[in-house]
Amino acid sequence: MVDGAELDAILHDWLSCRPHVHGIVARVDRCGGAAAGCAGFADPLRSARLTTAHAMRIASNTKTFVAATAVSLAHGGLFDLDRPIEAMLPGPLTELLAARYDPGVITPRMLLRHTSGITEHCAADAAGTSAYLRAARTRPLHRWTPTEQIRFSLEHFGPGGAAGAAVRYSDTGYVVLGQLIEHLTGRPLPAVVRERCRLDALGLDHTWWESLEPGPHPEPRRLHVRLGDDDWEGVDCSFDLFGGGGLVSTVGDLATWWRALFARRVLPDAALAELLTVQGLGGPGCDGDGDGDGDGGTLGEAGLGIFRRRVAGRSWWTHRGLWGSLVLHDADDDCTVTMFDAQAAEPGEALEELGAALAAA
């Protein structure tokens, strides 16, 4: 297994061939040992060196936390994963969804596995770009609400398919799921996730919901928010906050949580097995490539808030996020790779190949 200095050297070489990327940080955990390394800068002006302690918006990697929370609540008897959501949501939200979908057919399991048919609000439009992201940049100080995001999907897109028929990635489905959790528990989503995912008990002192709960003191430095050449630092974080994204974390905290999840320190055996039951395009338990994940790649097989993909000849449990966060976990080898690409400038598959190479080094 590589040590920190070796990891620094590998990442430096990788970055030197990519002048369009200003920084990258990675951590490799295996069998109780860990090494972290980084190269480059935390901001596009290259004025602050990137460190392994920098935090980052993990965006869609938040979904694995939300999914674990939902499965925990379901196994605790709060709701049935296969019961229609129409009886679990606030009345106005049920009525809103009913304009395009049938809440009497969609279940929490479908929301979790991206098979609900609800088209995500940030999907590409006919021009090949995201109308939602354009709207967010046009009004950078606007404070979005979950209802606005759901309504945006309904107003701009039709259903992505029949409920339960296929895996089609949907941030909107997770926003709906977050509202379901809040309605049934009577508590804010961040508080429920913090409790059910044992964030405090696991010592994840640098993981928090941006703007929805107090940050740590002192708060770690955070990577500048960019998508390639586009600066998003001044856009209100609410545009990706309510279950599809929202958490800020570090490579250390994110690795700790994933390893705790697979070590059954978050969910009991039966609940974890449910989370990891996968579906491809062919249906439950079948192999398949999945559909697009919104990050320029394919999903692989979909569990509940987590995916299984083959990368470099190995089977990995994985998720990635809009801003360049990536987690790969090989349960057979007890190996976890956690990475942040400082500006999401590389395709997801390229980062996965790098992560697999780091694990093999």
Side-chain angles (χ1 to χ4, degrees):
M1 177 175 166
V2 294
D3 61 24
E6 292 169 328
L7 196 53
D8 281 345
I10 294 171
L11 295 175
H12 178 79
D13 288 345
W14 183 88
L15 197 65
S16 67
C17 300
R18 294 165 176 80
H20 58 289
V21 183
H22 63 254
I24 187 166
V25 57
R27 174 176 165 128
V28 180
D29 287 74
R30 180 184 288 117
C31 303
C38 58
F41 298 83
D43 65 83
L45 298 178
R46 301 178 186 267
S47 60
R49 281 282 177 184
L50 182 60
T51 73
T52 57
H54 268 86
M56 181 181 186
R57 292 177 181 169
I58 67 172
S60 285
N61 264 297
T62 301
K63 291 181 176 71
T64 306
F65 292 79
V66 174
T69 298
V71 172
S72 174
L73 292 170
H75 276 251
L78 183 63
F79 62 89
D80 186 335
L81 289 175
D82 296 308
R83 179 186 173 195
I85 62 173
E86 64 178 351
M88 305 185 206
L89 294 171
L93 181 52
T94 300
E95 294 174 7
L96 179 62
L97 284 171
R100 279 197 182 269
Y101 301 95
D102 184 354
V105 174
I106 297 170
T107 67
R109 190 185 304 276
M110 293 176 189
L111 297 173
L112 286 161
R113 189 173 273 135
H114 301 283
T115 60
S116 68
I118 298 175
T119 303
E120 67 170 350
H121 52 279
C122 49
D125 56 21
T129 58
S130 170
Y132 178 72
L133 295 185
R134 287 200 307 270
R137 283 183 65 84
T138 300
R139 296 188 292 164
L141 301 183
H142 177 68
R143 185 72 178 179
W144 292 85
T145 68
T147 300
E148 281 182 302
Q149 292 174 341
I150 296 166
R151 183 178 291 113
F152 195 98
S153 170
L154 300 178
E155 292 176 348
H156 287 76
F157 305 102
V167 176
R168 300 188 187 282
Y169 196 86
S170 178
D171 278 277
T172 311
Y174 268 74
V175 176
V176 173
L177 185 66
Q179 294 302 288
L180 183 151
I181 291 172
E182 290 196 342
H183 183 63
L184 293 182
T185 63
R187 301 171 62 201
L189 178 64
V192 183
V193 171
R194 179 164 293 278
E195 175 184 272
R196 291 286 170 163
C197 291
R198 307 187 67 238
L199 303 189
D200 296 330
L202 293 172
L204 304 187
D205 297 331
H206 298 115
T207 300
W208 74 100
W209 290 79
E210 190 171 10
S211 81
L212 294 181
E213 63 180 359
H217 297 285
E219 188 170 306
R221 290 171 291 175
R222 181 173 59 74
L223 274 68
H224 194 95
V225 181
R226 290 182 70 85
L227 282 176
D229 295 331
D230 295 331
D231 194 321
W232 282 75
E233 191 65 39
V235 179
D236 191 277
C237 67
S238 62
F239 85 94
D240 181 31
L241 186 61
F242 306 108
L247 281 170
V248 177
S249 191
T250 63
V251 288
D253 271 17
L254 198 51
T256 296
W257 190 80
W258 269 66
R259 293 179 68 76
L261 178 67
F262 279 88
R264 294 163 176 79
R265 297 175 60 197
V266 177
L267 297 174
D269 287 353
L272 180 61
E274 187 146 42
L275 189 86
L276 301 181
T277 299
V278 297
Q279 173 178 335
L281 286 179
C286 297
D287 290 338
D289 290 331
D291 197 35
D293 64 359
D295 292 319
T298 55
L299 294 171
E301 297 172 293
L304 306 185
I306 194 169
F307 300 96
R308 188 170 67 188
R309 284 170 52 81
R310 290 196 66 80
V311 180
R314 296 171 67 170
S315 179
W316 299 91
W317 293 101
T318 184
H319 213 298
R320 58 192 188 222
L322 175 69
W323 306 114
S325 62
L326 170 69
V327 182
L328 295 168
H329 180 79
D330 183 340
D332 295 330
D333 194 34
D334 188 30
C335 179
T336 310
V337 181
T338 314
M339 302 173 59
F340 293 163
D341 166 4
Q343 63 202 93
E346 287 293 298
E349 292 90 340
L351 287 180
E352 290 173 346
E353 293 289 343
L354 173 61
L358 296 178

